[in-house]
């Protein structure tokens, strides 16, 4: 009886070691892939970049349209977004200043690394999409950010509340999560970067929802799981 118990314990321990080793290997493979995919994208075509340049006098840079959430107009002092609004009250606050220019900004220069919450990201994307003015231009903006875009068109004529066009854009850094025990329970303990919030690593992408008349109905964050 004791011998069989020892054998069982050895087998269980062996399987646990193999599982951990496999998890380490998978994590290394994914991290290597993440590092390569996280390399700086090739320079944006000059003409493409120029197409997103706007004058600092553009009225919506400092005076955004009312924010839309699930098709409804939301006040900027709403509890859901008021803290984010203090940090990014308009599109100008979301953009990096164009070097050497006091007269223009470029909508491609979103300060991704400075955004500290989902709500700040949603506000900035709303401001930019509102300035761009159409789903086609927003799609072009996503593609210029090296993001993969999936477009869904919702059939039917009942609006509101039916959405018509949904743009889903995936970050190039996106790496599918693993369901291994190592990645779910061990890696977060020994990998401090897992606890640092960064929208381009924390989420799989973003979405912008348009009504049939082209009005923005919603801006959201897309999140995946270890199963997709």
């Amino acid at each position: 009886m004791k011998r069989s118990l020892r054998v069982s314990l050895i087998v269980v321990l062996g399987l646990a070691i193999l599982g951990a080793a496999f998890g380490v290997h998978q994590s290394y493979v994914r991290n290597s892939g993440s590092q390569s995919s996280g390399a700086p994208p090739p320079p944006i075509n000059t003409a493409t970049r120029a197409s997103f340049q706007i004058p600092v006098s553009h009225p919506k840079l400092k005076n955004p349209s009312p924010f839309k959430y699930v098709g409804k107009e939301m006040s900027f002092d709403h509890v859901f977004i008021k803290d984010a609004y203090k940090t990014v009250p308009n599109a100008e606050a979301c953009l990096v200043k164009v070097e050497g220019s006091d007269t223009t900004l470029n909508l491609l220069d979103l300060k991704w690394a400075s955004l500290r919450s989902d709500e700040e990201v949603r506000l900035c994307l709303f401001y930019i999409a509102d300035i761009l003015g159409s789903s086609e231009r927003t799609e072009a903006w996503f593609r210029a950010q090296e993001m993969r875009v999936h477009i869904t068109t919702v059939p039917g004529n009942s609006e509101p509340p039916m959405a018509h066009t949904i743009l889903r854009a995936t970050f190039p850094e996106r790496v599918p999560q693993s369901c291994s025990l190592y990645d779910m329970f061990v890696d977060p303990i020994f990998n401090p970067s897992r606890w640092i919030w960064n929208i381009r690593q924390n989420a799989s992408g973003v979405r912008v929802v348009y009504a049939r008349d082209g009005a923005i109905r919603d801006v959201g964050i897309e999140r995946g799981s270890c199963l997709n």
Side-chain angles (χ1 to χ4, degrees), residues 3-224:
R3 184 174 182 278
S4 62
L5 181 59
R6 285 198 301 270
V7 171
S8 298
L9 289 174
I10 291 172
V11 170
V12 170
L13 181 60
L15 290 174
I17 292 173
L18 286 174
F22 179 75
V24 171
H25 172 71
Q26 291 293 92
S27 179
Y28 173 78
V29 170
R30 278 197 311 280
N31 288 338
S32 299
S34 176
Q35 290 171 4
S36 62
S37 66
I44 297 171
N45 178 281
T46 302
T48 299
R49 181 168 175 79
S51 70
F52 290 100
Q53 189 168 292
I54 60 173
V56 294
S57 59
H58 192 291
K60 287 189 177 181
L61 266 177
K62 293 185 178 180
N63 299 292
S65 300
F67 182 67
K68 294 291 184 67
Y69 177 69
V70 196
K72 296 182 179 180
E73 199 170 290
M74 180 182 287
S75 169
F76 284 114
D77 63 0
H78 189 282
V79 64
F80 177 64
I81 58 173
K82 67 177 184 179
D83 289 338
Y85 182 68
K86 292 176 184 177
T87 305
V88 286
N90 50 46
E92 187 176 43
C94 300
L95 300 173
V96 178
K97 290 185 177 180
V98 176
E99 187 175 350
S101 175
D102 293 326
T103 58
T104 62
L105 289 173
N106 197 294
L107 294 177
L108 291 177
D109 296 335
L110 179 60
K111 296 191 288 190
W112 290 105
S114 298
L115 302 178
R116 300 175 301 179
S117 68
D118 285 7
E119 288 69 36
E120 290 183 11
V121 174
R122 294 172 92 167
L123 284 178
C124 286
L125 285 177
F126 173 79
Y127 300 150
I128 290 173
D130 186 44
I131 292 173
L132 291 171
S134 70
S135 62
E136 291 79 11
R137 285 288 288 155
T138 301
E139 178 189 352
W141 186 88
F142 282 139
R143 295 191 187 282
Q145 295 276 344
E146 300 293 316
M147 300 171 78
R148 296 186 299 276
V149 182
H150 178 75
I151 305 172
T152 302
T153 301
V154 181
N157 299 313
S158 57
E159 247 189 283
M162 185 69 73
H164 181 253
T165 303
I166 304 173
L167 298 183
R168 288 187 170 89
T170 304
F171 295 126
E173 298 92 337
R174 166 65 175 162
V175 177
Q177 292 176 266
S178 168
C179 289
S180 73
L181 293 178
Y182 175 87
D183 284 298
M184 288 192 292
F185 300 107
V186 180
D187 188 55
I189 298 175
F190 298 101
N191 185 358
S193 65
R194 291 282 294 271
W195 299 97
I196 298 174
W197 192 91
N198 181 317
I199 188 63
R200 294 178 72 100
Q201 296 174 2
N202 178 261
S204 58
V206 294
R207 70 176 178 277
V208 182
V209 181
Y210 290 86
R212 186 173 297 278
D213 63 3
I216 299 171
R217 298 194 69 82
D218 190 40
V219 176
I221 308 299
E222 297 280 298
R223 298 191 182 281

